Each structure stands twice: as C-alpha cells, then as structure tokens.
Amino acid sequence: MALSAVGGCGSGGPFTSSVAGKAAAEPQPVESQPAEPAGFDECSLLTPKEVAGTLGVPAMHITLRETLTQDDGTRLAACAYATENTPGVAGMVVNVVADTDAERFFAPFKKYKNVRDVAKLGDQAKVIGYEAKELKAHYREIRVLSGHTGLHLWYSYSDAPGGMPEADGEKVALLLTAAVEKLPEQVTITSRAVEGACADVDLAEISEVVGDKLTTSRSVVGTAGAAHCQFSGEQAAVAITVVSEPERVKRMTVAAKDVNAPDVGDGARLSIGASDAGQGPLYATVNLEDKVLKVIAAYGPKVGTVKQPRPQDQQMVKAIAKVVGG
C-alpha cells in the first residue's frame, strides 16, 4: 500500500488507501465498463470465508478495493480484509500486480535487511516482518512472483485486544498459496462500476482538480451509508471513505479548534502532506452529522507544486461531501 490515511488503528487496523500510484498505463474508461465485467476479480483469489478459516476467526469482510498505476509502470489491484465490516479499515491487503518482473516487483524489499526467501511458493517469494513499537503493531509482508503476475500480501495485527489475530508466517503463506493457485495466466485489470455513496460524484470535476482523467474505479459498500471508493488515472488518484460506525465517527470527528474549512460539510480540516515533489497528497476529513468523510487525493504532475490546500481543492471536497452526506 502506498498511502495510509489518518484514522487510527483501533481494533481493525488503519484506514488505508493506495492513491499515490503514478506512471503510464491504458485503463478502460469508467463509463464503458459494465457493473460486473467478465474476467479478473482481485477479491476472488481469497474469499472472506477462506481467510477467516485460515486465521481462525468467526468472520472476515472485504473492506476495500482499489487499483492504480505504480511508479514502475505496472498496474495494481488491491483487495482488503478485516474482522469488522467497516469500509476503509484493513487488517490484510492482497495486491495483484499485472505484467511485472522480478526486478520491479521485489524492488520495494531492497530497503529491508531482514528479507527471507520462501521456498515452494510461486516462482519466487520473499517475506519480511517488522514492528511499530509505539503503536504496539506488527506487520508481515510476502511478495510472490508467479509468471508475470505478482502477489503482495500485507498483514497487520496489534497487541491490543480484538481486531486481526496474530498471524505467523505459515498462515500467511497458506493464504498466498491458495491465491497463487487461482491466478489466471493473464491478469487484466479493468474498471468496475461504482456502487453506494460515491456513485453520483462528479468525476469530471475531480479529474480537473487533480490534473488527470480518472478512468478506473473500485468501490465497497457498508451499512448506514458507509462506503469506500477509489478513482485512478495514469498519474493521479482519489480515494473517498464514508464512515458511519458510531464509535469510529466519535474518534474521527474533527474538533472545532482544528476546523479550517467551516463551510465544508459540518466543518472540515484540509491539509497537504509532505512529499519530495512538493505536491501533496491532499488529506481532508469532513464532519457530516452522524458520519465522517475522508478524502485523499494524489495529484498529477501538471498540477504543479501544491503546498497548501487550494480553493479548487476545498470546492472539490465540498462537492463530494454534498453527494455522500445524504
């Protein structure tokens, strides 16, 4: 995952988004795709029932679907799972990377010293484990290359009670073994029609603000208006999460002292994250009566330097809030 949104781990893991992907590809236009196109579905490799059985928990839920073009030019599709049915929360993410090779696919692991090879898994597999001691959180990552398709599994669990169970390398490897067996020979990542709260957002307006035509979409619908959806293009992407679960809404609501966009929803905070390019991403948290809206936007290069939220950024978030706040 390339980007994590603000939102706290809680018992179910962080709110996550992969909207920082860039580079070239040829995604299909959103409007030309049927609601359920034939072909590859990234969430079909591991069903929630399979994941729950392997991890030994009563149930798992699909909480996030995303797709983007990575910096190395490869196309990625992600499916996230969690023990709670809250869109945007992820305890485990399976990323499927199409048309890749060993040099590009394993490059992110070069920064780690504790990388180990995994035998008898795909054509080549490597695993790492690390911790965030201040958060009492633990992470496992396995990358598996099978032909020209890569599978990257990211798993997180906390020392706090509830949420994702502790998972050793054997359990994670079992999940990826099952996923590799279901991989088609050729993976083609296309768009899917957006469902739920994001279905009526003005994609043309959003594309104009982020400086790239957003052509590929994914969505997951929860209860009480909750949803996670993501739109991506060749060089930019936007992720939208609507949170309705009362306890999370309470924790995530922007305090009055932190509001810097009072006319957006019931008050919002917008900020620009630090990056080497000085170009975002944009982070926005919006209070919406009994819900909270999260927006993360990664800009395309033609937008130029962005160090503070611009008027058009605020207008975009305001328009999204009006659509999803009902």
Side-chain angles (χ1 to χ4, degrees), residues 33-226:
Q33 296 297 323
E36 290 295 334
F40 178 71
D41 174 7
E42 61 274 5
C43 291
S44 69
L45 298 179
L46 289 173
T47 67
K49 185 177 181 179
E50 285 178 287
V51 178
T54 302
L55 298 179
V57 295
M60 293 292 291
H61 305 272
I62 292 174
T63 54
L64 177 149
R65 291 173 181 255
E66 293 188 329
T67 180
L68 57 84
T69 302
Q70 302 189 99
D71 288 334
D72 64 8
T74 55
R75 196 75 177 162
L76 173 151
C79 186
Y81 306 79
T83 50
E84 61 180 278
N85 190 14
T86 304
V89 172
M92 184 181 88
V93 182
V94 178
N95 298 309
V96 183
V97 181
D99 300 321
T100 190
D101 53 57
E103 182 178 356
R104 289 184 293 175
F105 183 64
F106 291 107
F109 273 13
K110 290 182 178 180
K111 64 182 179 181
Y112 297 104
K113 295 181 179 179
N114 61 333
V115 178
R116 293 185 291 111
D117 292 329
V118 180
K120 300 179 181 179
L121 184 55
D123 296 329
Q124 187 177 354
K126 298 178 181 292
V127 62
I128 57 169
Y130 51 97
E131 299 177 352
K133 293 183 178 180
E134 67 280 4
L135 300 175
K136 297 183 178 180
H138 307 268
Y139 306 93
R140 301 287 182 268
E141 292 188 48
I142 296 183
R143 286 182 175 263
V144 181
L145 186 65
S146 179
H148 295 290
T149 303
L151 286 177
H152 168 225
L153 187 148
W154 176 91
Y155 190 96
S156 171
Y157 66 93
S158 171
D159 292 335
M164 298 292 288
E166 180 177 352
D168 56 28
E170 182 177 352
K171 289 182 179 180
V172 175
L174 281 173
L175 289 170
L176 272 181
T177 299
V180 169
E181 290 177 351
K182 295 181 185 178
L183 271 178
E185 291 185 9
Q186 180 69 36
V187 171
T188 301
I189 298 171
T190 60
S191 184
R192 290 180 177 269
V194 176
E195 300 176 336
C198 305
D200 296 323
V201 298
D202 188 341
L203 198 56
E205 178 184 3
I206 296 174
S207 296
E208 182 68 26
V209 173
V210 300
D212 186 26
K213 185 176 181 180
L214 304 181
T215 58
T216 309
S217 61
R218 290 291 191 276
S219 63
V220 171
V221 178
T223 59

Side-chain angles (χ1 to χ4, degrees), residues 276-295:
D276 293 339
Q279 196 192 24
L282 168 72
Y283 295 102
T285 304
V286 185
N287 299 334
L288 293 173
E289 296 185 3
D290 59 346
K291 295 189 273 294
V292 168
L293 164 68
K294 289 275 188 180
V295 178

